[in-house]
Amino acid sequence: MRQSPNRLVAVIFGAVYVLVGLLGFAVTGGVGFIASKGGLLLGIFEVNPLHNIAHLLIGAALLIAGLSNARAAKGVNITIGAVYLLLGIVGFFIGSPDNALNILALNVPDHFLHLASAVVLLGVGLSADKDVRTATV
């Protein structure tokens, strides 16, 4: 793992997202599964149970890929980075408690965190481990 930045980033981000997913359940008691207004995690990030599950699944995917091999880590970093880039942008348009499309209870700090995650995951995924090719469909 020391030789692969993609593996290292995937494991670190994966562990953090699993932890965030678990901690989220501590603040979402009584919050509807897809409520547009959630509980506050760390006093700033809104989450609902669906958002917590998304964090757990994303964290698990990153951890599994990071612990597997550089090719898997690179592919998952790029994929999740692209999804977070899209979510970070789209979130500014749907991320309000008044919007029924906001099924993840997103707020402005969430958008910026998703964009920051996207920059790191895409940056490492696209620039590191150049000799590793990801699977093509």
Side-chain angles (χ1 to χ4, degrees):
M1 192 166 13
R2 271 182 255 153
Q3 288 91 358
S4 171
N6 273 292
R7 289 184 71 191
L8 182 62
V9 166
V11 168
I12 291 170
F13 270 63
V16 168
Y17 273 103
V18 166
L19 181 62
V20 165
L22 292 172
L23 290 174
F25 286 108
V27 298
T28 55
V31 173
F33 187 73
I34 59 169
S36 60
K37 181 89 172 122
L40 288 179
L41 181 62
L42 302 176
I44 188 170
F45 302 105
E46 275 197 61
V47 292
N48 64 19
L50 179 60
H51 198 158
N52 297 332
I53 291 170
H55 283 150
L56 289 173
L57 293 173
I58 287 165
L62 285 162
L63 267 175
I64 291 166
L67 294 172
S68 296
N69 57 62
R71 179 179 177 183
K74 183 177 178 87
V76 170
N77 286 347
I78 291 169
T79 302
I80 291 176
V83 169
Y84 270 143
L85 179 61
L86 180 63
L87 182 62
I89 294 168
V90 170
F92 285 105
F93 298 99
I94 66 165
S96 123
D98 304 326
N99 192 334
L101 295 175
N102 188 9
I103 63 170
L104 293 173
L106 300 171
N107 64 356
V108 174
D110 286 319
H111 311 324
F112 284 110
L113 184 61
H114 293 146
L115 290 172
S117 292
V119 167
V120 173
L121 291 168
L122 283 171
V124 171
L126 294 172
S127 67
D129 299 320
K130 292 282 191 184
D131 58 331
V132 175
R133 295 183 188 265
T134 55
T136 56
V137 179

